[in-house]
Amino acid sequence: MRVKTLKDVDLRGKRVFIRADLNVPQDETGRIVDDTRIRASIPTIEYCLQQGAAVMVTSHLGRPKEGACTPEDSLAPIAERLSELLGRPVPLIEHWVDGGFTVQPGEVVLLENVRCNVGEKKNDEELARKYAALCDVYVNDAFGTAHRAEASTVGIARFAPVACAGLLMAAEIEALSRALEHPKRPLVAIVGGAKVSTKLTILKSLAEKVDQLIVGGGIANTFLLATGKRIGKSLAEPELVVEAQAIMDMMAARGSEVPLPVDVVVADEVSALARANRVSVDEVGPNDRILDVGPKTASRYCDIVAHAGTVVWNGPLGVFEYDQFAGGTKMLASAIAHSEAYSLAGGGDTIAAIKKFGVEKDIDYISTGGGAFLEFLEGKKLPAIAALEARYDG
C-alpha cells in the first residue's frame, strides 16, 4: 500500500486543504464531551503551519441535511476547541465552496461542516473540482471516513494538484498494514460485540489468516449455541449458528480453533444492580443471561495473548460498563498491555474499555476509525486510501 505522505511534499507558501475527522460527541448543549479526534488532528495541522502553509481544515459533524445546515450542525464548537489546542485563532468560514476567503501562509481556518454541501455524500465531481480549486495540496487525515467515497475524501484527491496522507492517516495505514499484511506470528484476533451478523464477513476474513480467533460478547453466545450449549436468555442469533460453525470449521481446517468459554458470569438482568454469578458454561440456567466470561476462560485467553506475536482487538468480552461484568475484558486488556506482541486496537467500545482500564499507553496503536477499521480488517479496499494510492507517483 503506497501513498504519498505529508512529509514527502514541499508545503512552503502552499494552500493546504486538510480533510480531518473532527466528528466528536457533544451533549445537548453542544458542549464537546470527548475531544480525542480533535487532539489526533493537531499534529498534521501544526506540521503544515510550521512548514509555512496556508491551512484550511474541514470535517463532517453529525448527519446534516445537505444544503440546510442548522446551528446544531455547525463546527463552531470545534473551531473554539481547535483555537485552544493550537494556541491561536481558528476562524470558522461559512459558504466556502466557491472561495471568496483568504488564508495567509502560517494561518489556519476551519471550513464549515463539509456534509452541508450539496453533492458531498454522492462524491459529486463538480463539487470535488471546486474543493480542489481551493488548494495546492490536498491532505486526507480522516481515516475514520476512509471507507466512504465522498467528495472531500475521494473526489478532491483526483483533481487537487497534489494529494497525500496526513500524519494520522499515514500512521493508521502503517499500523494496519503491519498487523494484517506483514504480521509477526502467531497472529491473534479478538472480535467481540453484540451480533455475529454485524461482523460475519470480518470473522470469515480473519478465519482465513489468523492463527487464533477469540470471540466475545453476544458473538460468543452464538458460537456456544453452535456447539450445542444452553445459553438461557443470553443475547444471541440462533439463525446464524450455521455460519458460526462454518467459521469454526475454517479454523479447524487450518489446524487452529475458536476457543470458547468454559465458565461464564451470568445474571437475570443487565443493570448496575444485577447480581453476578460465576458458573460453568454447562450450568447456565434457563433464565440466565451470559454477560461476561469467567476467570478460567479469561486466563486461557490471556495465555493465548501472552504467546502472540501480533494482537488485533475489536470488541469487549462482556458488558464491561458494569464492574461486575468487566472482569474478562479487564484481564484481556491487561494481558494485551503486558504482552510482547505488537498490539492494534480499534472500535468505539474497545477504546472505551482501554480508557476504563487505563492501558492506553501500553497498546502499540489505537485506531481512530470505527467502520473504516472494521472494513480494513475485512480486507476491503478503502475508497479514500485507494484514491491516494492512485495519485502516488513515487
Side-chain angles (χ1 to χ4, degrees):
M1 187 177 301
R2 306 189 71 180
V3 301
K4 188 186 292 291
T5 67
L6 190 59
K7 293 188 176 181
D8 297 326
V9 182
D10 178 11
L11 301 175
R12 184 157 299 280
K14 301 292 179 61
R15 299 171 302 155
V16 174
F17 184 110
I18 300 173
R19 173 54 160 100
D21 181 6
L22 308 175
N23 185 35
V24 294
Q26 299 168 278
D27 63 18
E28 61 278 0
T29 67
R31 184 181 65 87
I32 296 168
V33 296
D34 183 352
D35 67 356
T36 300
R37 287 176 175 166
I38 300 176
R39 289 179 178 275
S41 73
I42 295 298
T44 289
I45 297 170
E46 286 187 330
Y47 179 82
C48 293
L49 291 170
Q50 291 163 2
Q51 295 299 305
V55 182
M56 298 162 276
V57 183
T58 194
S59 172
H60 71 288
L61 180 66
R63 298 179 179 178
K65 181 179 179 181
E66 290 188 356
C69 218
T70 69
E72 290 75 26
D73 303 319
S74 177
L75 295 184
I78 315 300
E80 183 178 341
R81 187 67 183 123
L82 273 176
S83 297
E84 293 170 356
L85 292 171
L86 290 168
R88 62 168 70 212
V90 180
L92 179 65
I93 308 297
E94 299 178 342
H95 313 299
W96 51 269
V97 173
D98 294 309
F101 62 92
T102 59
V103 191
Q104 299 299 322
E107 293 180 349
V108 56
V109 299
L110 183 63
L111 308 179
E112 187 58 280
N113 195 334
V114 72
R115 284 202 185 147
C116 290
N117 300 330
V118 176
E120 164 64 17
K121 292 179 72 174
K122 292 185 177 180
N123 191 20
D124 179 75
E125 181 174 324
E126 182 181 354
L127 181 63
R129 287 183 181 276
K130 287 184 176 182
Y131 291 166
L134 298 173
C135 67
D136 303 304
V137 178
Y138 166 67
V139 179
N140 191 332
D141 210 32
F143 177 75
T145 63
H147 59 311
R148 303 188 186 281
E150 299 180 343
S152 67
T153 61
V154 171
I156 184 175
R158 291 176 56 200
F159 305 117
V162 175
C164 65
L167 302 182
L168 178 61
M169 176 70 87
E172 294 271 3
I173 292 172
E174 180 182 356
L176 288 161
S177 298
R178 176 177 175 181
L180 294 174
E181 294 177 9
H182 312 289
K184 181 181 178 183
R185 301 282 180 172
L187 170 58
V188 176
I190 302 150
V191 181
K195 296 182 177 181
V196 172
S197 55
T198 59
K199 296 184 178 178
L200 182 61
T201 53
I202 298 164
L203 291 166
K204 287 181 176 179
S205 176
L206 290 173
E208 295 176 347
K209 64 185 72 168
V210 303
D211 300 298
Q212 289 277 7
L213 177 60
I214 296 172
V215 293
I219 292 174
N221 296 337
T222 300
F223 277 72
L224 286 171
L225 271 182
T227 62
K229 299 295 185 183
R230 293 189 296 270
I231 63 168
K233 294 183 177 179
S234 305
L235 178 66
E237 293 172 289
E239 69 276 13
L240 291 179
V241 294
V242 173
E243 284 80 359
Q245 185 61 57
I247 290 166
M248 289 188 282
D249 291 344
M250 289 170 65
M251 291 296 291
R254 297 177 57 242
S256 189
E257 63 173 336
V258 179
L260 295 177
V262 294
D263 60 340
V264 291
V265 179
V266 300
D268 57 6
E269 64 176 0
V270 185
S271 76
L273 300 177
R275 179 179 176 179
N277 297 298
R278 296 189 185 96
V279 300
S280 162
V281 73
D282 295 316
E283 297 174 345
V284 176
N287 295 313
D288 284 336
R289 299 176 188 270
I290 300 172
L291 301 177
D292 193 15
V293 298
K296 291 180 181 178
T297 301
S299 293
R300 185 183 181 198
Y301 293 170
C302 290
D303 184 61
I304 292 171
V305 167
H307 292 89
T310 304
V311 176
V312 178
W313 180 21
N314 173 256
L317 297 182
V319 187
F320 72 94
E321 294 87 352
Y322 301 125
D323 289 345
Q324 67 269 46
F325 308 121
T329 304
K330 183 177 182 179
M331 284 183 66
L332 178 69
S334 179
I336 295 172
H338 289 92
S339 172
E340 294 295 321
Y342 177 75
S343 53
L344 170 65
D349 287 341
T350 311
I351 295 172
I354 287 170
K355 288 183 177 180
K356 177 171 181 172
F357 303 125
V359 296
E360 298 102 315
K361 294 181 180 178
D362 299 306
I363 306 296
D364 290 302
Y365 195 83
I366 300 173
S367 175
T368 59
F373 179 79
L374 294 177
E375 291 197 13
F376 198 106
L377 293 188
E378 287 181 46
K380 289 184 177 179
K381 179 73 75 172
L382 304 186
I385 295 177
L388 294 179
E389 286 183 297
R391 294 298 306 276
Y392 181 75
D393 56 11

